[in-house]
Every structure is written in structure tokens, then in C-alpha cells.
Amino acid sequence: MVLIIGAGIAGLYLGKLLQDHGVDFRIVEARDRIGGRVWTLNQPDGPPIEMGPTWFGPQHTYLKRVVEELDLEYFEQFRDDYYFFQQSSQGKFERYLLPNQAPSFRFANGTQSLVNRLASVIDRDKIHFNQSVKHIEWSDKQVTVLATDTFIAEKVVLTVPPKLWAHHIDFKPVLPNNLIEIARNTQTWMEGSIKMAYVFSKPFWEGKGSTIFTNDGPLIEFYDHSDVNRKHYSLCGFAHPSLHSLSKAERELKGLKQLEEIYGTQANDYVDYHECVWYEEVFTGLNNGFQMP
């Protein structure tokens, strides 16, 4: 039996491949949901809001192959001819012509549809939630994995970020020092990120510039995040990591003031606000209170 640690895209796709080839496996996941850093907020009267990865491009050949294999619907990311850029916190936002770029694509039902489709073809009893792995021990014939429950396997595959298993899992026998050092210094994508999204009843930014860049923030990269049919509208993106020390209400207000500076008072007519501070998200970063047992 193969034990897969992590029910994100990598863990779920590996589970699918093993199941397709008749190999016995289990997936253990520390969270109570699948997806890991894939996290789409689906709303009945709003666009799917991506708190994690948002798009993919022609260069992502392996992902595109999986998308086609699973027959997932996707669409080209909307962008108009202009973008806004602020060179310093003291300067004004200037509008520039957007250079020609390769298209980016988004999942019609959110990135969560990818992990949901992968999970749907895996036998449900193969995925075990709320299993935070604490110890992995090898012997001549088996591997013992201690989480909330104990699992016995022939092989173990780690699909979680290297920094996390290097800090949070006790290995016996111990792994080589150079491997642990490399893993601990490997950046975890999204670990220090903050994503914020504002939902609007009208896309007032169309024709003006749907993309925002600034080095200082509070919003450092923002873009159109409306749904596939452009019936529900949103602006979404990344906030400056320093905002993690503020309250949700304070972040919401700071971002709103920046949007108002760029687009005027129309930005105040938002109908909803969402955010995810990955800095504090359990099982993603090291600054969230999740400590080695």
C-alpha cells in the first residue's frame, strides 16, 4: 500500500494514477477539506472567488493535459488595454498601455473544480481528513506513519511543501542533514500571502484599466475576477504582506481607499468582501501557531 500525505492537486492526481493502475493507496490530509492551497469561495449570487491559485497559461503543459483529460471548462482571463502602476507610495497611479502577453486562463467554476473532479474519481474511503502527520518511521518491511490515526504502508509519498514536512514531521531514521536544510529553505508558495477580493454589481473598471500594480500596496497586484459569463463582477488580488498585522476590517478599508484613489467613488459601491491571510492559515506557513509536537 502507498500512503500519500496531502490532498492537494499533486496528492489527488497521484491517487488517481495509482487507482487507474490498480495500486492500493490511501491519502491523509491534515485539513478537513481537499485542495490545500487551492481554495475557491463559491457563492450563489457572486463570482467564484479564488483565495489560492487563479489561472494557468500555455506554458503549463502538464496542467493543461490534466485539464483536458478531466474535461474541465475554462476561459480566457479578461483584461482591457490598460493597467495602473504606482512607482512609490508617495506617487500617483499612472495609466499605461498593457503590452501584448500570452493569454491566461481560469476555470469556469473556480480552481476548486479541478480538485473536486480529481477527488470524484477516487474512492471516498481512500481519503482520510484531519490527519496531521507527526512521525514517519521506516523498518525493513514497512513504513509506520503516526497522525491522528496510525497508518502502515510499503511506501510514503510527501506532496506537501518541503518546508512543512522538514519542520513538522519527525523522521526515523533521520533524513540527511543537507536534505533537511534544503527543504527548510525552500519557499512555500502563498505562505506569506494575503489575498483580498471585492465584489461589485457593475464592472466600472472596464475600459479604464482592470489591472493594478504597485510595490508598496496596500494592494500590490489586483485584477478583474469576474465570472465566466461576466454576470457577477469582482476585483481580486494580493495585498502587501505587512497587512497581516491589521484586522480584517482595517485591511478591507485600506484596500478600498486605494481602489477609490484609482477608480473614484464607484469603488465604494461594493457588495461583498473576502480575504485569506495565508500567513495565518494552518498547515500552510510556519507563522500560524502550528508547532512541531
Side-chain angles (χ1 to χ4, degrees), residues 28-96:
V28 293
E29 168 56 49
R31 292 179 170 92
D32 59 0
R33 63 174 179 85
I34 60 173
R37 285 163 290 171
V38 173
W39 190 7
T40 306
L41 303 178
N42 285 298
Q43 311 160 93
D45 296 315
I49 301 295
E50 303 291 4
M51 293 286 96
T54 300
W55 46 60
F56 60 95
Q59 72 275 23
H60 299 117
T61 54
Y62 293 107
L63 177 60
K64 286 198 70 176
R65 186 174 65 190
V66 174
V67 170
E68 300 295 342
E69 177 186 347
L70 297 174
D71 194 27
L72 291 169
E73 183 184 355
Y74 60 91
F75 65 102
E76 186 172 338
Q77 166 70 16
F78 169 81
R79 57 180 185 176
D80 51 34
D81 295 332
Y82 300 94
Y83 71 98
F84 291 95
F85 178 66
Q86 181 191 42
Q87 298 206 24
S88 71
S89 58
Q90 304 303 317
K92 292 184 178 181
F93 280 92
E94 302 288 346
R95 194 173 75 153
Y96 298 90

Side-chain angles (χ1 to χ4, degrees), residues 203-270:
F204 53 80
W205 53 88
E206 286 186 356
K208 298 178 180 179
S210 60
T211 309
I212 302 167
F213 296 107
T214 175
N215 295 322
D216 298 306
L219 307 177
I220 56 176
E221 179 184 340
F222 240 54
Y223 41 81
D224 181 278
H225 200 66
S226 306
D227 63 11
V228 58
N229 297 314
R230 299 201 68 76
K231 292 183 177 180
H232 301 96
Y233 310 101
S234 175
L235 290 170
C236 177
F238 293 89
H240 196 280
S242 63
L243 269 63
H244 75 84
S245 60
L246 303 180
S247 68
K248 179 180 179 180
E250 289 172 325
R251 282 188 293 270
E252 180 179 355
L253 182 59
K254 277 186 172 292
L256 186 63
K257 286 184 176 179
Q258 181 174 319
L259 293 177
E260 185 178 6
E261 179 183 351
I262 297 170
Y263 296 114
T265 56
Q266 296 175 97
N268 290 314
D269 297 329
Y270 67 104

Side-chain angles (χ1 to χ4, degrees), residues 66-250:
V66 174
V67 170
E68 300 295 342
E69 177 186 347
L70 297 174
D71 194 27
L72 291 169
E73 183 184 355
Y74 60 91
F75 65 102
E76 186 172 338
Q77 166 70 16
F78 169 81
R79 57 180 185 176
D80 51 34
D81 295 332
Y82 300 94
Y83 71 98
F84 291 95
F85 178 66
Q86 181 191 42
Q87 298 206 24
S88 71
S89 58
Q90 304 303 317
K92 292 184 178 181
F93 280 92
E94 302 288 346
R95 194 173 75 153
Y96 298 90
L97 190 65
L98 193 67
N100 290 327
Q101 295 176 332
S104 297
F105 303 98
R106 288 168 48 202
F107 293 94
N109 296 304
T111 311
Q112 195 75 33
S113 63
L114 171 59
V115 294
N116 288 346
R117 184 67 60 84
L118 286 170
S120 72
V121 299
I122 295 174
D123 294 339
R124 298 305 296 173
D125 62 351
K126 301 285 190 183
I127 305 176
H128 301 261
F129 295 102
N130 301 304
Q131 298 288 338
S132 175
V133 175
K134 304 172 181 65
H135 181 83
I136 298 177
E137 183 171 343
W138 283 269
S139 67
D140 291 339
K141 297 183 178 180
Q142 66 183 33
V143 184
T144 302
V145 177
L146 301 181
T148 306
D149 300 318
T150 299
F151 299 86
I152 305 297
E154 297 174 30
K155 298 180 183 296
V156 170
V157 180
L158 293 158
T159 68
V160 296
K163 185 184 291 186
L164 297 187
W165 58 253
H167 280 276
H168 301 325
I169 300 178
D170 177 34
F171 295 90
K172 186 178 180 180
V174 297
L175 298 178
N177 288 335
N178 63 332
L179 178 60
I180 291 292
E181 188 65 20
I182 291 172
R184 286 182 172 178
N185 288 283
T186 299
Q187 181 182 7
T188 298
W189 180 76
M190 294 297 287
E191 177 185 7
S193 297
I194 302 173
K195 289 202 74 174
M196 297 168 56
Y198 297 84
V199 180
F200 299 91
S201 58
K202 296 180 180 180
F204 53 80
W205 53 88
E206 286 186 356
K208 298 178 180 179
S210 60
T211 309
I212 302 167
F213 296 107
T214 175
N215 295 322
D216 298 306
L219 307 177
I220 56 176
E221 179 184 340
F222 240 54
Y223 41 81
D224 181 278
H225 200 66
S226 306
D227 63 11
V228 58
N229 297 314
R230 299 201 68 76
K231 292 183 177 180
H232 301 96
Y233 310 101
S234 175
L235 290 170
C236 177
F238 293 89
H240 196 280
S242 63
L243 269 63
H244 75 84
S245 60
L246 303 180
S247 68
K248 179 180 179 180
E250 289 172 325

